[in-house]
Amino acid sequence: MALFDMSLEELRTYRSRSVEPEDFDAFWSTTLEETANHPLDVRFTPRETGLKTVEVYDVTYAGFGGHPVKGWFVLPAGTTGPVPVVVEFIGYGGGRGLPHTHLLYASAGFAHFVMDTRGQGSGWAPGATADPVGSAPAYPGFLTRGIEDPREYYYRRVYTDAVRAVEAARAHPLVDAARTAAVGISQGGGITLAVSGLVPDLAAVVPDVPFLCDFPRALTLTDRNPYREVGNYLKTHRGRAEQARRTLSYFDGVHFAARATAPALFSTALEDQTCPPSTVYAAFNAYAHAEKSIEVYDFNDHEGGGPFQEAARLAWLPGRLTA
């Protein structure tokens, strides 16, 4: 696919038309306060994997509603002192997968916490976390579950799980909580942006080709899933577009980016039809911290930078996570 979105010059100045709800902060404060009433109850259970360079723990902690959420915690073998931790969120449809697929950050000397995404994990990597909350009628996928009410919306639970994932990672005695990074690709990048606005003391944020940004533009620009799920839902449920847009405004990465307090490294791909570059730049241009940069991959689709962006992350993170 050739370039289909704005020119790079236009992207650099683009601002989203997403309207922030007046009670955005109150909504999220209430959500997190309600969740804080449930003990974190984090458990790290050693898992034998046959790997010699890392130690792996099967993690369970209480997320939204006190619901059990799974994860992996991977440490460089022989770690004895506090180390920085990278908390990672997974792309759409995937779960935490298997431990041997998560060696990058531990190989760089960091602790690595991988959050399983509730209800997902059957698309391309297996998951182990149920979503015990039902919803009104929804289009297949996750983007329209509970879309008529922000309090019932699926990503209210996921974003809250993610905030608790940071708390769970920091609870391990070998983690230096002051040196915590949040990272993710696609859906994981969108969740990372939510965490950047909800957790005030992160040391670094890396959202790669982030999903869940600039809904007003995304829903009318691309016909690819997952964004197209909303259009397909509204095609059947005529007359509900205004309420759907209102709900989505509480979960737009643009508004979380405006509250971010940590340095950030973004990435985008100019031929990306899944998470169009203008939607990524909407979040990047709104990002509140002065130290921010974006890697641009001119001729790539949603794969973005792939291993080149992994190398960029490994070059960038130590400067923000060094004691």
Side-chain angles (χ1 to χ4, degrees), residues 106-121:
S107 297
F110 305 134
H112 184 196
F113 188 103
V114 183
M115 185 189 89
D116 203 31
T117 309
R118 63 168 61 217
Q120 299 191 29

Side-chain angles (χ1 to χ4, degrees), residues 11-29:
L11 291 171
R12 288 170 175 154
T13 60
Y14 171 66
R15 291 285 177 170
S16 173
R17 293 176 297 170
S18 182
V19 178
E20 181 182 300
E22 292 183 0
D23 63 341
F24 182 90
D25 290 318
F27 174 85
W28 283 107
S29 293

